[in-house]
Amino acid sequence: SQQGEEDPQALSIQEGENATMNCSYKTSINNLQWYRQNSGRGLVHLILIRSNEREKHSGRLRVTLDTSKKSSSLLITASRAADTASYFCATVRAAGNKLTFGGGTRVLVKP
Amino acid sequence: GAVVSQHPSRVICKSGTSVKIECRSLDFQATTMFWYRQFPKQSLMLMATSNEGSKATYEQGVEKDKFLINHASLTLSTLTVTSAHPEDSSFYICSARDLLSWDEQFFGPGTRLTVL
Protein backbone atom coordinates (compact mmCIF):
# COMPACT_ATOMS: atom_id res chain seq x y z
CA SER A 1 0.00 0.00 0.00
CA GLN A 2 1.12 3.53 -0.60
CA GLN A 3 2.38 5.35 2.43
CA GLY A 4 2.70 8.76 0.90
CA GLU A 5 0.37 11.14 -0.77
CA GLU A 6 1.81 13.81 -3.01
CA ASP A 7 0.43 17.08 -4.16
CA PRO A 8 -0.03 18.47 -6.59
CA GLN A 9 -0.49 15.48 -8.89
CA ALA A 10 0.63 17.63 -11.79
CA LEU A 11 2.47 20.92 -12.11
CA SER A 12 3.15 23.06 -15.15
CA ILE A 13 5.60 25.96 -14.93
CA GLN A 14 7.78 28.16 -17.11
CA GLU A 15 11.50 27.65 -17.34
CA GLY A 16 13.24 29.64 -14.64
CA GLU A 17 10.38 29.40 -12.15
CA ASN A 18 10.54 27.37 -8.98
CA ALA A 19 8.62 24.12 -8.56
CA THR A 20 7.39 22.96 -5.19
CA MET A 21 5.79 19.62 -4.43
CA ASN A 22 4.68 18.11 -1.15
CA CYS A 23 4.56 14.64 0.31
CA SER A 24 2.63 13.43 3.34
CA TYR A 25 3.02 10.07 5.02
CA LYS A 26 1.33 8.10 7.76
CA THR A 27 3.76 6.21 9.95
CA SER A 28 7.02 6.96 11.73
CA ILE A 29 9.96 6.87 9.38
CA ASN A 30 13.69 6.30 9.40
CA ASN A 31 14.24 8.42 6.32
CA LEU A 32 12.46 9.92 3.33
CA GLN A 33 13.84 9.94 -0.19
CA TRP A 34 12.98 11.78 -3.37
CA TYR A 35 13.32 10.24 -6.82
CA ARG A 36 12.89 11.47 -10.38
CA GLN A 37 11.54 9.37 -13.22
CA ASN A 38 11.63 10.39 -16.84
CA SER A 39 8.84 8.95 -18.95
CA GLY A 40 9.19 5.19 -19.36
CA ARG A 41 12.53 5.08 -17.61
CA GLY A 42 13.94 3.95 -14.28
CA LEU A 43 14.24 6.04 -11.16
CA VAL A 44 17.05 8.41 -10.30
CA HIS A 45 17.77 9.00 -6.63
CA LEU A 46 17.78 12.72 -5.84
CA ILE A 47 18.15 13.17 -2.12
CA LEU A 48 17.71 11.37 1.19
CA ILE A 49 16.72 13.12 4.41
CA ARG A 50 16.79 11.36 7.75
CA SER A 51 14.13 11.65 10.42
CA ASN A 52 16.41 13.78 12.60
CA GLU A 53 17.09 16.27 9.81
CA ARG A 54 14.88 19.21 8.90
CA GLU A 55 16.36 20.51 5.69
CA LYS A 56 18.78 19.37 3.05
CA HIS A 57 20.18 20.91 -0.12
CA SER A 58 21.65 19.41 -3.24
CA GLY A 59 22.38 21.77 -6.10
CA ARG A 60 19.07 23.33 -7.14
CA LEU A 61 17.11 20.98 -4.90
CA ARG A 62 15.93 21.80 -1.40
CA VAL A 63 14.11 19.25 0.72
CA THR A 64 12.42 19.87 4.04
CA LEU A 65 11.05 17.37 6.50
CA ASP A 66 8.54 18.02 9.26
CA THR A 67 8.11 14.84 11.27
CA SER A 68 5.48 16.42 13.52
CA LYS A 69 3.28 16.96 10.49
CA LYS A 70 4.54 13.84 8.71
CA SER A 71 5.27 15.83 5.61
CA SER A 72 8.12 16.74 3.29
CA SER A 73 8.56 19.18 0.46
CA LEU A 74 10.82 19.25 -2.57
CA LEU A 75 11.72 22.58 -4.11
CA ILE A 76 13.42 22.81 -7.49
CA THR A 77 14.77 26.29 -8.04
CA ALA A 78 15.34 27.95 -11.42
CA SER A 79 13.73 25.06 -13.25
CA ARG A 80 14.89 23.91 -16.67
CA ALA A 81 13.10 22.06 -19.44
CA ALA A 82 15.25 19.03 -18.56
CA ASP A 83 13.60 18.93 -15.13
CA THR A 84 10.40 17.74 -16.82
CA ALA A 85 9.71 14.38 -15.16
CA SER A 86 7.68 12.67 -12.48
CA TYR A 87 8.91 13.11 -8.94
CA PHE A 88 8.23 10.58 -6.21
CA CYS A 89 8.77 10.64 -2.50
CA ALA A 90 9.45 7.34 -0.78
CA THR A 91 9.66 6.52 2.90
CA VAL A 92 11.54 3.91 4.86
CA ARG A 93 9.76 3.06 8.10
CA ALA A 94 11.46 3.28 11.44
CA ALA A 95 11.73 -0.51 11.77
CA GLY A 96 11.85 -1.47 8.14
CA ASN A 97 13.98 -1.65 5.06
CA LYS A 98 11.43 -1.21 2.30
CA LEU A 99 10.69 1.88 0.26
CA THR A 100 7.04 2.88 0.09
CA PHE A 101 6.30 5.33 -2.69
CA GLY A 102 3.92 8.22 -2.88
CA GLY A 103 1.68 8.81 -5.85
CA GLY A 104 4.08 11.16 -7.59
CA THR A 105 3.95 14.64 -9.07
CA ARG A 106 4.24 15.09 -12.82
CA VAL A 107 6.19 18.26 -13.54
CA LEU A 108 6.19 19.95 -16.92
CA VAL A 109 8.69 22.76 -17.43
CA LYS A 110 7.87 24.77 -20.52
CA PRO A 111 10.75 26.44 -22.36
CA GLY B 1 27.91 5.39 -9.16
CA ALA B 2 26.24 2.04 -8.67
CA VAL B 3 24.61 0.62 -11.77
CA VAL B 4 21.74 -1.81 -12.02
CA SER B 5 20.77 -3.34 -15.34
CA GLN B 6 17.62 -5.10 -16.43
CA HIS B 7 17.10 -7.42 -19.34
CA PRO B 8 15.12 -7.33 -21.49
CA SER B 9 14.11 -3.69 -21.63
CA ARG B 10 10.98 -4.54 -23.54
CA VAL B 11 9.14 -7.79 -24.17
CA ILE B 12 5.94 -8.71 -25.94
CA CYS B 13 4.52 -12.17 -25.39
CA LYS B 14 1.39 -14.18 -25.99
CA SER B 15 -1.09 -14.88 -23.25
CA GLY B 16 -0.24 -18.07 -21.38
CA THR B 17 3.50 -17.91 -21.86
CA SER B 18 6.12 -17.24 -19.20
CA VAL B 19 8.55 -14.36 -19.24
CA LYS B 20 11.80 -14.04 -17.32
CA ILE B 21 13.26 -10.66 -16.38
CA GLU B 22 16.82 -10.33 -15.09
CA CYS B 23 18.12 -7.72 -12.69
CA ARG B 24 21.87 -7.36 -12.23
CA SER B 25 24.00 -5.16 -10.03
CA LEU B 26 27.00 -4.41 -12.22
CA ASP B 27 29.58 -2.94 -9.90
CA PHE B 28 28.47 -3.83 -6.41
CA GLN B 29 27.13 -6.72 -4.39
CA ALA B 30 23.50 -6.71 -3.39
CA THR B 31 22.19 -9.03 -0.70
CA THR B 32 18.74 -7.57 -1.20
CA MET B 33 16.91 -6.72 -4.39
CA PHE B 34 13.38 -5.43 -4.74
CA TRP B 35 10.84 -5.89 -7.50
CA TYR B 36 8.25 -3.23 -8.27
CA ARG B 37 5.38 -2.94 -10.71
CA GLN B 38 4.22 0.34 -12.17
CA PHE B 39 1.05 0.82 -14.18
CA PRO B 40 0.76 3.81 -16.55
CA LYS B 41 0.73 7.15 -14.77
CA GLN B 42 0.80 5.45 -11.39
CA SER B 43 3.36 5.02 -8.68
CA LEU B 44 5.63 2.07 -8.00
CA MET B 45 4.14 -0.76 -6.01
CA LEU B 46 6.49 -3.13 -4.25
CA MET B 47 5.85 -6.73 -5.25
CA ALA B 48 8.51 -8.61 -3.36
CA THR B 49 11.83 -8.43 -1.58
CA SER B 50 14.47 -10.79 -2.89
CA ASN B 51 17.20 -11.98 -0.56
CA GLU B 52 20.27 -13.79 -1.84
CA GLY B 53 20.18 -17.45 -0.96
CA SER B 54 16.72 -17.44 0.60
CA LYS B 55 13.09 -17.27 -0.39
CA ALA B 56 11.61 -14.00 -1.50
CA THR B 57 9.16 -12.11 0.71
CA TYR B 58 6.02 -11.16 -1.16
CA GLU B 59 3.76 -8.20 -0.46
CA GLN B 60 0.13 -8.78 0.35
CA GLY B 61 -1.91 -9.56 -2.71
CA VAL B 62 1.04 -10.66 -4.87
CA GLU B 63 0.81 -14.29 -5.98
CA LYS B 64 4.12 -16.01 -5.31
CA ASP B 65 3.30 -18.87 -7.65
CA LYS B 66 2.66 -16.45 -10.49
CA PHE B 67 5.66 -14.19 -9.91
CA LEU B 68 8.62 -16.46 -9.28
CA ILE B 69 11.70 -14.79 -7.87
CA ASN B 70 15.15 -16.30 -7.73
CA HIS B 71 18.15 -14.54 -6.20
CA ALA B 72 20.92 -17.01 -6.82
CA SER B 73 23.91 -14.71 -6.44
CA LEU B 74 24.88 -11.36 -4.97
CA THR B 75 24.56 -9.71 -8.35
CA LEU B 76 21.56 -11.36 -9.99
CA SER B 77 17.86 -11.66 -9.26
CA THR B 78 15.26 -12.92 -11.73
CA LEU B 79 11.52 -12.41 -11.88
CA THR B 80 9.50 -14.90 -13.91
CA VAL B 81 5.93 -14.01 -14.77
CA THR B 82 4.28 -17.37 -15.28
CA SER B 83 1.25 -17.93 -17.51
CA ALA B 84 1.12 -14.25 -18.32
CA HIS B 85 -2.19 -12.57 -19.04
CA PRO B 86 -2.97 -9.14 -20.52
CA GLU B 87 -3.59 -7.72 -17.04
CA ASP B 88 0.05 -8.51 -16.21
CA SER B 89 1.14 -5.96 -18.80
CA SER B 90 3.07 -3.37 -16.87
CA PHE B 91 6.44 -1.74 -16.26
CA TYR B 92 8.54 -3.91 -13.96
CA ILE B 93 11.42 -2.22 -12.12
CA CYS B 94 14.01 -3.77 -9.88
CA SER B 95 16.26 -2.12 -7.36
CA ALA B 96 19.28 -3.32 -5.45
CA ARG B 97 20.69 -2.34 -2.11
CA ASP B 98 24.45 -2.13 -1.82
CA LEU B 99 25.86 -4.43 0.83
CA LEU B 100 27.79 -1.49 2.26
CA SER B 101 25.14 1.21 1.97
CA TRP B 102 22.00 0.30 3.82
CA ASP B 103 19.92 3.35 3.03
CA GLU B 104 20.16 3.72 -0.70
CA GLN B 105 18.54 1.59 -3.36
CA PHE B 106 19.75 1.73 -6.95
CA PHE B 107 17.11 1.24 -9.60
CA GLY B 108 17.26 -0.56 -12.89
CA PRO B 109 15.91 1.03 -16.07
CA GLY B 110 12.78 -1.11 -16.05
CA THR B 111 11.22 -3.74 -18.31
CA ARG B 112 8.09 -3.00 -20.29
CA LEU B 113 5.98 -6.17 -20.51
CA THR B 114 3.11 -6.36 -22.97
CA VAL B 115 0.98 -9.49 -22.97
CA LEU B 116 -1.19 -9.93 -26.05
Side-chain angles (χ1 to χ4, degrees):
Chain A
S1 60
Q2 285 182 207
Q3 152 98 301
E5 297 291 332
E6 291 185 56
D7 81 273
Q9 290 186 342
L11 182 60
S12 180
I13 56 174
Q14 292 294 136
E15 207 165 25
E17 293 180 342
N18 296 341
T20 301
M21 57 211 86
N22 303 293
C23 168
S24 61
Y25 57 91
K26 297 174 184 173
T27 64
S28 296
I29 61 171
N30 176 281
N31 66 75
L32 184 146
Q33 304 178 34
W34 285 91
Y35 289 85
R36 183 183 74 222
Q37 184 182 35
N38 290 89
S39 180
R41 308 291 291 274
L43 272 72
V44 174
H45 182 264
L46 296 176
I47 200 163
L48 180 153
I49 185 164
R50 300 187 187 283
S51 59
N52 62 352
E53 298 176 308
R54 292 296 167 259
E55 187 170 312
K56 214 162 181 182
H57 297 255
S58 177
R60 294 184 294 111
L61 305 180
R62 172 177 168 256
V63 167
T64 64
L65 179 64
D66 187 335
T67 52
S68 66
K69 294 181 180 178
K70 291 186 168 60
S71 68
S72 174
S73 68
L74 170 67
L75 167 67
I76 305 172
T77 59
S79 63
R80 305 167 182 168
D83 295 327
T84 293
S86 290
Y87 292 83
F88 295 93
C89 68
T91 55
V92 177
R93 293 185 181 181
N97 66 352
K98 300 184 294 188
L99 281 172
T100 304
F101 283 84
T105 296
R106 293 191 305 279
V107 175
L108 172 64
V109 181
K110 294 181 279 188
Chain B
V3 178
V4 174
S5 70
Q6 277 184 245
H7 177 79
S9 59
R10 188 180 294 267
V11 57
I12 300 172
C13 69
K14 292 182 179 179
S15 188
T17 60
S18 295
V19 174
K20 180 186 282 188
I21 302 170
E22 293 186 349
C23 177
R24 291 180 187 274
S25 57
L26 297 185
D27 49 2
F28 66 98
Q29 293 184 326
T31 53
T32 305
M33 291 184 172
F34 302 87
W35 287 96
Y36 298 85
R37 182 167 52 184
Q38 184 180 32
F39 292 108
K41 296 188 178 180
Q42 293 189 24
S43 187
L44 280 74
M45 298 297 291
L46 179 65
M47 299 174 67
T49 301
S50 168
N51 297 297
E52 186 265 337
S54 65
K55 290 183 179 179
T57 303
Y58 290 82
E59 295 299 298
Q60 194 171 8
V62 178
E63 299 174 58
K64 62 180 180 180
D65 294 329
K66 180 168 182 63
F67 299 100
L68 302 178
I69 291 172
N70 184 281
H71 193 159
S73 76
L74 285 172
T75 59
L76 174 64
S77 175
T78 60
L79 167 69
T80 301
V81 183
T82 63
S83 186
H85 290 283
E87 57 265 30
D88 298 323
S89 298
S90 187
F91 194 53
Y92 292 86
I93 305 176
C94 73
S95 70
R97 175 180 286 134
D98 191 327
L99 193 62
L100 302 176
S101 175
W102 184 250
D103 288 327
E104 194 168 352
Q105 290 184 28
F106 301 96
F107 283 80
T111 296
R112 173 78 57 194
L113 171 63
T114 303
V115 184
L116 302 176

